[in-house]
Amino acid sequence: MDTDLIVSQLIEHFKEIVPLQDADIGCITAKLEIIQLKKKDYLLRSGEVSRSMRFIAKGSLYAYHIDEKGKENTTQLGIENWWVNDLYSYLSEMPSSMFIQANEDTTILQISKTNLEVLYREVPAISEFWRLKIQSAYVTLQERTFEHSRVDAYTKYRNFVSTYRNIEQRFPQYMIASYLGITVEYLSYLRKKHLSDVS
């Protein structure tokens, strides 16, 4: 594992949104923790409190909750350079109702809530980064809520593959179907229809 390369990946991710000085980078690096997960390992389990922000350096993760019928419902998918978390649990410090699990062997960089609060004071640019990130997450959540209630399944699928290019091949069909709120069989039909429409 090339620790320097992994850390520089996160630093470049920050720099895409906010400027950082060399001293800032030193402060950030000192507060990072690297987590290695094997496929199927859990990053977070239902009932645990999420106490860190987590950046995917390598691999992929998915988040899901189990409904009253025992059905697994996928709520988030994440690949390299994405953040994955239960923000409700993180912000409220209440137990999570979600599981976050590795879909592949995965390397995570995480910053504990305590360390992040320190960084907000030491490196104000990080506070600005998270202000913008959380705004974006809220907009995405609103769009997804709107889409689920008012948009047909084919449009949902087309929006998914155009917005998240190359992600479909990384996850099993049942996860994609669950994320879109449809059956695996219907996903297969929509995929064939889409390929036919774009060919």
Side-chain angles (χ1 to χ4, degrees):
M1 178 178 64
D2 189 333
T3 301
D4 290 342
L5 185 63
I6 291 168
V7 170
S8 67
Q9 184 179 341
L10 175 57
I11 297 302
E12 290 306 310
H13 176 75
F14 284 138
K15 284 182 174 180
E16 288 173 5
I17 297 177
V18 294
L20 293 174
Q21 306 301 318
D22 287 346
D24 298 335
I25 294 169
C27 289
I28 295 165
T29 302
K31 293 173 178 62
L32 299 176
E33 180 184 5
I34 297 177
I35 305 293
Q36 298 274 67
L37 300 173
K38 293 291 187 185
K39 183 176 180 177
K40 299 294 185 186
D41 283 353
Y42 287 93
L43 183 63
L44 182 73
R45 293 176 185 267
S46 178
E48 297 175 348
V49 176
S50 180
R51 302 190 188 278
S52 297
M53 295 302 289
R54 296 161 173 122
F55 174 80
I56 305 172
K58 181 183 177 185
S60 62
L61 293 162
Y62 66 106
Y64 64 93
H65 70 273
I66 297 174
D67 65 23
E68 63 279 358
K69 296 178 181 177
K71 181 183 175 186
E72 187 177 300
N73 295 277
T74 304
T75 55
Q76 292 180 49
L77 303 170
I79 59 173
E80 291 86 1
N81 296 320
W82 292 19
W83 296 84
V84 65
N85 204 358
D86 180 346
L87 269 182
Y88 175 81
S89 175
Y90 177 85
L91 294 170
S92 68
E93 299 187 352
M94 297 290 288
S96 177
S97 60
M98 291 169 39
F99 296 86
I100 301 178
Q101 193 169 9
N103 177 57
E104 304 165 333
D105 289 354
T106 301
T107 303
I108 300 291
L109 277 168
Q110 71 176 23
I111 309 173
S112 71
K113 190 171 188 177
T114 301
N115 280 337
L116 194 52
E117 292 293 337
V118 173
L119 276 180
Y120 289 159
R121 296 190 294 273
E122 292 181 349
V123 185
I126 294 300
S127 180
E128 177 68 1
F129 174 88
W130 277 112
R131 182 183 71 81
L132 295 170
K133 271 290 181 186
I134 289 176
Q135 283 180 359
S136 176
Y138 181 76
V139 168
T140 300
L141 177 62
Q142 287 286 85
E143 287 173 345
R144 188 165 178 226
T145 302
F146 175 85
E147 186 177 76
H148 267 274
S149 60
R150 302 191 187 183
V151 175
D152 65 89
Y154 184 48
T155 303
K156 285 182 199 175
Y157 176 74
R158 282 190 310 163
N159 289 345
F160 174 78
V161 295
S162 63
T163 303
Y164 306 115
R165 295 183 186 279
N166 304 319
I167 195 173
E168 191 177 10
Q169 291 71 35
R170 301 282 297 275
F171 293 89
Q173 282 199 28
Y174 78 89
M175 285 185 201
I176 304 288
S178 176
Y179 181 80
L180 294 173
I182 58 177
T183 65
V184 172
E185 293 76 17
Y186 197 41
L187 173 63
S188 180
Y189 163 76
L190 294 178
R191 181 180 284 159
K192 288 173 186 173
K193 176 175 169 55
H194 180 66
L195 289 173
S196 174
D197 288 350
V198 299
S199 61

